[in-house]
Amino acid sequence: MNFVSVRIITDDVARLADFYELVTGATAVRTGDVFAELTTSFATLAIGSTRTVPAFAPGAAEPAQNRSAIIEFLTPDVDADYARLKDVVDSWVNEPTVMPWGNRSLLLRDPDGNLVNLFTPATPEAVAKFARFLA
């Protein structure tokens, strides 16, 4: 089994797709106004409209309710990303900080309030851990 994607349910697919395009530099593939996907080398961030939820089970997902998951993106230079995004992102949680586990991380919220972590491995151990993604 392989982990391939995370899907965010939202009332505004275009707004979130635009936001994640800005943050990641990836281009979203959009299916009308109900679905978009941003694909990186290792995973996909899917964005689905609340109108798609009944296809799974009515009421199974609610937009803008996440308070426990963090969407994480490995980046070559988190400080450069902060400089690039600091005037366009509305909700910052922290500035780039080296975490106890060795990543230099930047935490922000997307327009629906979901936590987003941009990080760069900062210690030799963290660099080794993410070496397959950095090649």
Side-chain angles (χ1 to χ4, degrees):
M1 184 180 302
N2 289 304
F3 181 75
V4 295
S5 73
V6 169
R7 184 177 312 193
I8 301 171
I9 297 298
T10 183
D11 286 326
D12 193 338
V13 171
R15 178 187 66 177
L16 274 191
D18 290 348
F19 174 83
Y20 282 102
E21 283 180 333
L22 174 70
V23 168
T24 66
T27 300
V29 175
R30 300 169 193 236
T31 305
D33 62 350
V34 297
F35 190 76
E37 287 183 321
L38 287 99
T39 301
T40 70
S41 300
F42 295 97
T44 297
L45 176 62
I47 303 167
S49 168
T50 51
R51 292 179 296 172
T52 66
V53 173
F56 296 102
E62 297 177 27
Q65 297 299 311
N66 173 36
R67 301 306 286 177
S68 62
I70 301 173
I71 302 159
E72 298 189 307
F73 293 97
L74 175 66
T75 179
D77 187 344
V78 73
D79 292 290
D81 288 315
Y82 179 62
R84 177 177 61 86
L85 297 169
K86 68 180 176 182
D87 294 330
V88 295
V89 170
D90 292 331
S91 183
W92 294 101
V93 178
N94 72 355
E95 296 179 355
T97 304
V98 176
M99 303 309 254
W101 45 90
N103 293 331
R104 186 158 175 81
S105 295
L106 167 65
L107 200 61
L108 56 108
R109 290 193 184 275
D110 74 14
D112 276 5
N114 298 301
L115 285 169
V116 179
N117 180 35
L118 308 182
F119 73 95
T120 302
T123 64
E125 296 81 13
V127 170
K129 178 180 178 179
F130 292 101
R132 68 185 173 115
F133 297 104
L134 298 170

